[in-house]
Amino acid sequence: MLSPSLGKKPWDSLPGEIRLLIFRSLMQDGCTLAHLAAVSRAWQTDLERYNFARIKLTPSRLKDFGSIIRRNQALVRYIWFCLELDDYNCTQCAPRSGMLTNEEREAAFTVSDTEHCPITTAFQSLFSILSVWDQDSELMLDISIYSPSDAQHWFPYLTFVPDTPSGRLEGSGLEPTITDQGYHDPLHGWVTGFRHSAPPPEAIYKVFHSVMEEGPFDSDQLEFQWWDQLPSVSAVTRILLRQQNRRRWKPSALAHMLARFPRLKEVYYEPWREWGFLQRHTDKEYLYLFESIRHGHYPLKKLVVFENFNQQYPVFMQRFQFGEDLSDCDGIRNPAPAVSRMIALASLPLEHLAASFIIDASHFFAIDPSWEWPNLISLVLTSRLLTPEENSTEIGALLQTAAAAALKMPRLETMEIWNGQKGLAALFQYRVFRGSQEAKILWRGTWKHHITPSVLQAWETVGHLDAGGRLDLVQEQVEEAAIQSHGDALHHLRLSSQAIRPVSLQQVRREQKALEGVETV
């Protein structure tokens, strides 16, 4: 057993990360936490800090959570709130009309109860517990909703893991489970580790169904009133709704959820796109959500929104008749200008904004002359214009419009506009180095784009570069063959600002690897 004094060097003088590495190494060797805590009071204190900093919480543990955590409440920094739905069998994994009665089919889709209690009861208990926590806490709340059965049947590549701090993805629970050629489930389209047949649309609808769509509330208004009566939770300052949540929180309901956090500073929201005509309805709900954020009574500083997608799924969903897609499921979805405008308005007081695929930069920059971003430091947006097929004049016009908007952002240090899909990756990045009269424009992509003198001149104006200043232009190539998805594009483009949680990006790329060879649109 290691001595807690480690020779002549006191334990307390070691950096916290080194002490943590020692604990991890000892636990991997078979030491239990109880044995390690018995070594010394210093070890017990450090282990409690390690143990309680990050907590997985399920509805079944809520009953005793308040009393168990009371003494160490100040140590908690992150809660992964897991709403685990009931398991389901093969009769419910793709609920079809011909196989089930209407009542059975509706029950198979319904998302209103966890394994142990209704979703409403779980939230009521959680918010009641957290409402009495120290009002000066800086707590991150990560909300996940899934069934363990989702990672069986048609989608064995899915993973449900806690958020992982940046740069610490090792051991995150994303080890491959289906790349082994031994994985064999022909009933669900998998033969010796590869997908050989597409899942039916009902299987996709199952895992992407809306939360509390069928109840317990008879109307949206009643659901909003329920959220509004929940206790206010000042301890939570950061909210995570990651892309592993395929089941959809209604954006309008989220607006009322977020309002229960009066000290909210950061929101990370990674919804999935819709797979058909419902996208128009969801865009209207986005307007409700972002208008609510715009007028929210909380000190929001950072908003990161990443609308995830998979280019294979439209192939699974599309049903053609006489050359027309009856599902109304576009291969690459077209963002609504109204949503772009609302997110732009919501971003005016922010310090950091990233909005990927949910809006288009060309719409975002169609601003009113009176708009200003006095606090904005970093901005990340996507644009469908960044493709090699697009007229270079259109791309140049977008970049000049972006420069004009940047003049309204006096604290701006980084602006990044990017795009990614299979076989395509592009990034325009502007960075200014405050106090050095230097700035840089970077184009990194699967094709070379000529940055015109007029674009350079527009960005020189943004940097307030006088005769002694310098604007560097850098071009870097990305191998097209390496880009199998938007996740690969984001990985290889190496944005300086965060567009998605690191563990989410790893999950996106892992899914794509599992579906290699499947047709895309």
Side-chain angles (χ1 to χ4, degrees):
M1 172 66 69
L2 269 171
S3 167
S5 63
L6 295 182
K8 295 182 179 180
K9 190 167 185 179
W11 173 258
D12 290 342
S13 68
L14 289 175
E17 290 190 358
I18 299 299
R19 286 182 276 177
L20 182 57
L21 287 173
I22 292 172
F23 287 141
R24 286 177 174 168
S25 178
L26 289 171
M27 285 187 284
Q28 287 173 358
D29 287 342
C31 294
T32 66
L33 290 173
H35 285 140
L36 294 177
V39 171
S40 72
R41 181 62 62 86
W43 280 40
Q44 180 183 356
T45 300
D46 277 350
L47 282 168
E48 285 182 344
R49 189 177 295 117
Y50 169 75
N51 252 0
F52 289 99
R54 295 171 56 82
I55 289 177
K56 177 182 178 180
L57 186 59
T58 60
S60 63
R61 298 175 181 175
L62 280 170
K63 181 179 178 181
D64 301 316
F65 178 64
S67 57
I68 291 173
I69 203 69
R70 186 174 294 116
R71 187 173 70 86
N72 293 294
Q73 173 190 309
L75 301 178
V76 181
R77 296 287 179 267
Y78 166 86
I79 292 178
W80 183 30
F81 188 44
C82 296
L83 296 163
E84 291 191 354
L85 308 173
D86 289 333
D87 288 324
Y88 52 85
N89 58 31
C90 288
T91 65
Q92 297 175 308
C93 69
R96 305 184 201 188
S97 301
M99 299 173 60
L100 301 172
T101 65
N102 289 339
E103 291 78 11
E104 290 172 335
R105 190 167 183 268
E106 180 174 314
F109 281 118
T110 297
V111 185
S112 60
D113 294 339
T114 71
E115 189 176 5
H116 296 278
C117 66
I119 291 172
T120 51
T121 302
F123 271 106
Q124 185 78 51
S125 300
L126 177 68
F127 281 41
S128 296
I129 293 168
L130 296 182
S131 67
V132 299
W133 280 34
D134 186 346
Q135 304 297 296
D136 295 324
S137 298
E138 297 281 338
L139 184 63
M140 175 182 281
L141 179 60
D142 182 2
I143 301 172
S144 291
I145 182 165
Y146 59 91
S147 167
S149 297
D150 294 341
Q152 303 162 12
H153 305 284
W154 298 97
F155 309 103
Y157 47 80
L158 299 186
T159 54
F160 307 104
V161 296
D163 185 62
T164 307
S166 300
R168 296 185 183 177
L169 289 175
E170 301 84 359
S172 61
L174 296 180
E175 290 76 15
T177 58
I178 65 166
T179 52
D180 182 359
Q181 290 189 354
Y183 186 85
H184 193 68
D185 185 5
L187 181 64
H188 296 101
W190 293 90
V191 178
T192 60
F194 295 93
R195 181 178 284 290
H196 274 238
S197 61
E202 292 85 357
I204 293 178
Y205 289 139
K206 168 79 175 180
V207 296
F208 283 101
H209 202 66
S210 290
V211 178
M212 297 194 288
E213 180 71 30
E214 287 78 20
F217 306 104
D218 293 332
S219 68
D220 286 345
Q221 198 59 41
L222 288 174
E223 181 178 350
F224 300 160
Q225 290 173 8
W226 175 79
W227 284 109
D228 293 343
Q229 60 79 41
L230 289 179
S232 179
V233 180
S234 296
V236 170
T237 58
R238 291 182 289 171
I239 286 288
L240 270 62
L241 296 157
R242 294 179 287 126
Q243 66 86 36
Q244 70 179 16
N245 296 290
R246 296 186 173 223
R247 284 177 179 78
R248 305 180 185 279
W249 293 103
K250 288 176 280 188
S252 55
L254 287 182
H256 291 264
M257 179 201 291
L258 297 182
R260 308 318 299 151
F261 306 111
R263 295 179 58 241
L264 191 60
K265 298 177 182 176
E266 299 180 8
V267 173
Y268 300 85
Y269 178 38
E270 299 171 356
W272 280 75
R273 61 159 285 187
E274 296 282 0
W275 304 113
F277 65 90
L278 283 176
Q279 188 66 63
R280 288 186 288 274
H281 172 74
T282 299
D283 283 339
K284 291 179 181 178
E285 293 239 328
Y286 282 151
L287 292 176
Y288 187 103
L289 170 61
F290 294 113
E291 184 171 21
S292 172
I293 289 176
R294 177 190 174 197
H295 297 294
H297 298 291
Y298 36 75
L300 195 66
K301 295 182 179 180
K302 185 173 186 176
L303 177 61
V304 178
V305 186
F306 188 98
E307 188 182 71
N308 198 20
F309 62 95
N310 184 302
Q311 286 183 255
Q312 279 91 351
Y313 284 13
V315 177
F316 303 157
M317 300 301 292
Q318 289 173 345
R319 296 292 181 267
F320 288 95
Q321 185 175 18
F322 306 118
E324 182 180 354
D325 176 24
L326 301 180
S327 70
D328 197 18
C329 184
D330 295 329
I332 299 293
R333 89 110 161 170
N334 211 2
V339 176
S340 301
R341 181 180 178 86
M342 188 55 69
I343 289 181
L345 281 167
S347 72
L348 295 180
L350 299 182
E351 294 180 3
H352 304 277
L353 172 68
S356 300
F357 301 113
I358 192 170
I359 65 174
D360 194 281
S362 62
H363 304 148
F364 183 94
F365 292 131
I367 63 173
D368 289 351
S370 61
W371 291 3
E372 293 184 352
W373 290 262
N375 307 311
L376 198 65
I377 297 171
S378 69
L379 177 63
V380 177
L381 302 172
T382 49
S383 178
R384 293 184 64 181
L385 292 178
L386 299 190
T387 66
E389 295 81 18
E390 187 64 47
N391 188 320
S392 60
T393 303
E394 292 291 324
I395 298 177
L398 169 66
L399 301 182
Q400 286 186 264
T401 305
L407 292 172
K408 303 280 189 173
M409 307 170 183
R411 296 185 60 200
L412 186 70
E413 295 179 2
T414 307
M415 182 187 290
E416 294 172 298
I417 306 173
W418 70 285
N419 192 19
Q421 59 192 60
K422 184 176 181 180
L424 183 155
L427 168 67
F428 171 87
Q429 180 190 83
Y430 167 79
R431 299 188 71 179
V432 62
F433 306 98
R434 297 296 180 190
S436 66
Q437 280 290 297
E438 292 183 9
K440 182 177 79 171
I441 284 179
L442 166 69
W443 177 272
R444 181 181 288 138
T446 48
W447 82 99
K448 187 174 181 179
H449 173 71
H450 174 63
I451 305 293
T452 64
S454 57
V455 170
L456 291 175
Q457 185 176 4
W459 285 99
E460 284 175 350
T461 303
V462 173
H464 305 291
L465 302 177
D466 56 26
R470 190 177 78 214
L471 177 64
D472 293 330
L473 175 60
V474 178
Q475 291 262 4
E476 296 182 0
Q477 188 79 16
V478 174
E479 286 297 324
E480 182 178 328
I483 311 302
Q484 296 301 309
S485 71
H486 60 302
D488 289 339
L490 189 53
H491 172 75
H492 287 281
L493 290 174
R494 307 193 307 277
L495 275 65
S496 65
S497 300
Q498 188 177 69
I500 190 174
R501 301 299 292 181
V503 71
S504 295
L505 178 58
Q506 194 178 39
Q507 288 172 314
V508 170
R509 299 184 72 209
R510 180 180 185 277
E511 176 176 8
Q512 183 57 51
K513 187 171 180 60
L515 294 176
E516 279 183 2
V518 178
E519 184 183 357
T520 63
V521 294

